Amino acid sequence: MSHPTSLLAAIPHDAPHIPVLLDEVIGALDPAPGKVIVDATLGAGGYTRALLAAGATVHAFDRDPDAIAAAREWGAGYDRLILHPRRFSEVGDALAEAGVGAIDGLVADIGVSSMQLDQQGRGFAFSSDGPLDMRMSQEGPSAADFCNEAGEEEIANVLYNYAEERQSRRIARAIVAARPLETTGQLANVVRRALGYKPGAPKDPATRSFQAIRIHVNDELGELEALLATAESLLNPGGRLAIVSFHSLEDRIVKQFFKDASGVASATSRYMPVAASAAPAVYSHISKAIRAGEVELNRNPRARSATLRFATRTDVPARPAVSRRRP
């Protein structure tokens, strides 16, 4: 089934939320009446609405109760929309409880949503001062709990592993010395002072630390790996998996996952051709990295860092899942 009409063009220019790579994602999933598709990151519902409009049945997931509450209102007229207030690692269990054993597609838009970034009280951004929270699910230990209770070495490891922050130890020492921290502004200022930030510099150095702490608080990379494994076990042969990521750590995981699932092993040296591995291909038709074009970037600058990768499930049995540990 083709989707020649631009879905992005149909979204009003003053819409509060514009889903990234919408045309590319829907084209990759190829929704149609009778298909069952999982939107693992419901958010404001951009992908879900397009999938429903194409006739698919959508199981929409979000760990953020605000997203689920909003969808209960705008999605009230759809009998093909099933909402699940669950995280990635619970997708398989939730579908089993709903009597769904196989699906035809799964999409996930990894990372923090525009809605979460724009809400001062959620503590994801430091553009305006707010509580140091960052919890997508609005439950469990917050960013403030981590900054105020974790040891200096643990903080440094999180900053280095999740943001590749080269000054992680210096920042960790500064965080420990400045305790207690309660707001996003306080944390941002601690990081800036530790790194000698001067106002007017092209990029605020606090951005990397906020990213790392947010990823840790929500175990985002572990949840992503759990979702990839779950999708492999749930997708029908011919089913599509589409993942949109926003920074290199996420994209690296997705790229490596598809590489491992392709049935092709890396060459033993740069001078040797890539050889077929003993493992059969779990996914085929694996895409290259797809990024937003100029038209979309002009409408939605946040799409600049978005990368889409997708693939088609074969009939090869799913591989055993490998769990990931926090650093």
Side-chain angles (χ1 to χ4, degrees), residues 2-14:
S2 61
H3 304 273
T5 303
S6 172
L7 299 169
L8 176 64
I11 297 176
H13 281 261
D14 58 353

Side-chain angles (χ1 to χ4, degrees), residues 80-127:
R80 290 179 284 106
L81 173 61
I82 302 92
L83 299 173
H84 302 272
R86 311 279 285 269
R87 61 178 62 218
F88 291 168
S89 55
E90 300 171 332
V91 166
D93 290 340
L95 291 177
E97 291 166 11
V100 177
I103 59 176
D104 302 298
L106 185 148
V107 59
D109 178 348
I110 307 301
V112 66
S113 73
S114 297
M115 295 188 304
Q116 291 166 333
L117 283 171
D118 293 339
Q119 293 179 39
Q120 178 181 345
R122 300 297 300 275
F124 286 101
F126 52 86
S127 53

Side-chain angles (χ1 to χ4, degrees), residues 192-205:
R192 291 166 183 153
R193 287 196 299 268
L195 299 182
Y197 171 68
K198 296 180 179 179
K203 186 173 182 179
D204 194 319

